[in-house]
Amino acid sequence: MTQQVKQGLSTGSMGHHARRGVIGFALAAALVGGSAGAAFATTGQDSGQSTDAHVAVAEGITMTGLSSGFTLSGIPGVVDGDTSVSYNVETNNVAGYTVTVQSQDADLVGTGLNTDVIPIGTLKVKNSSGNFVGVSDASTTLVHTQAERSADGGDALGSEYQMLIPVKNADTYTATLDYVATSL
């Protein structure tokens, strides 16, 4: 009996190709049978699971695209004005936001050996009430406010400046202005 089992498992007189065919058929039958059995075992059953997706949206505000500078020009005694500074504010705060401006410098200062200065308060900005007021280095000036969030992509805004050109040396006088957007 042992001999017969060994012969049944041995290649014996079968040809090389016939053996491969028998082995291949046996493997295919086992795989198909195994797959069919596994598919049959799960038919009608739900083996899936679920997960919850959470998106935590934080409150935020950004200011982008602030103009790098502007120039008011003219001869002494002439008022020059312009919508000189543009910027974009985007926030999701439903209460809205404000935009303020404040000078880093007490004076607009000339270049080189020029010792003349122009007090910063003579540079005027249109405030949120529509009036031109002097820019300050000691306090902020409210230039925009709104009681709702911005549009998607932000709100395109601008500030208008003017100055009565003073009697000073011919030069370009400079001060740095800080813009700050704050959500309410």
Side-chain angles (χ1 to χ4, degrees):
M1 178 118 180
T2 306
Q3 184 66 25
Q4 288 178 338
V5 171
K6 285 185 181 180
Q7 284 181 353
L9 293 176
S10 71
T11 55
S13 62
M14 285 175 135
H16 178 69
H17 294 292
R19 278 180 290 164
R20 277 192 172 173
V22 170
I23 292 171
F25 177 79
L27 285 174
L31 290 175
V32 171
S35 296
F40 181 75
T42 59
T43 302
Q45 296 177 1
D46 186 1
S47 64
Q49 295 181 5
S50 298
T51 187
D52 293 333
H54 301 276
V55 178
V57 177
E59 182 181 306
I61 187 166
T62 59
M63 178 185 288
T64 57
L66 183 65
S67 301
S68 62
F70 64 95
T71 302
L72 300 176
S73 62
I75 59 173
V78 173
V79 174
D80 189 22
D82 193 4
T83 302
S84 309
V85 175
S86 60
Y87 50 93
N88 186 294
V89 176
E90 184 172 28
T91 183
N92 61 348
N93 185 313
V94 295
Y97 64 96
T98 62
V99 179
T100 60
V101 64
Q102 183 174 355
S103 178
Q104 290 183 10
D105 309 296
D107 299 304
L108 292 124
V109 179
T111 60
L113 299 175
N114 180 6
T115 58
D116 281 352
V117 296
I118 302 172
I120 195 65
T122 61
L123 177 64
K124 304 208 181 290
V125 63
K126 189 180 277 187
N127 67 13
S128 62
S129 300
N131 302 315
F132 280 97
V133 296
V135 175
S136 173
D137 64 320
S139 62
T140 61
T141 300
L142 182 65
V143 294
H144 181 80
T145 186
Q146 71 181 52
E148 62 189 19
R149 68 180 184 203
S150 69
D152 284 346
D155 297 332
L157 303 169
S159 295
E160 190 173 341
Y161 285 86
Q162 71 177 22
M163 176 182 272
L164 175 63
I165 305 298
V167 179
K168 298 290 180 179
N169 289 331
D171 200 349
T172 300
Y173 295 82
T174 304
T176 300
L177 306 178
D178 293 328
Y179 272 75
V180 177
T182 306
S183 59
L184 298 176

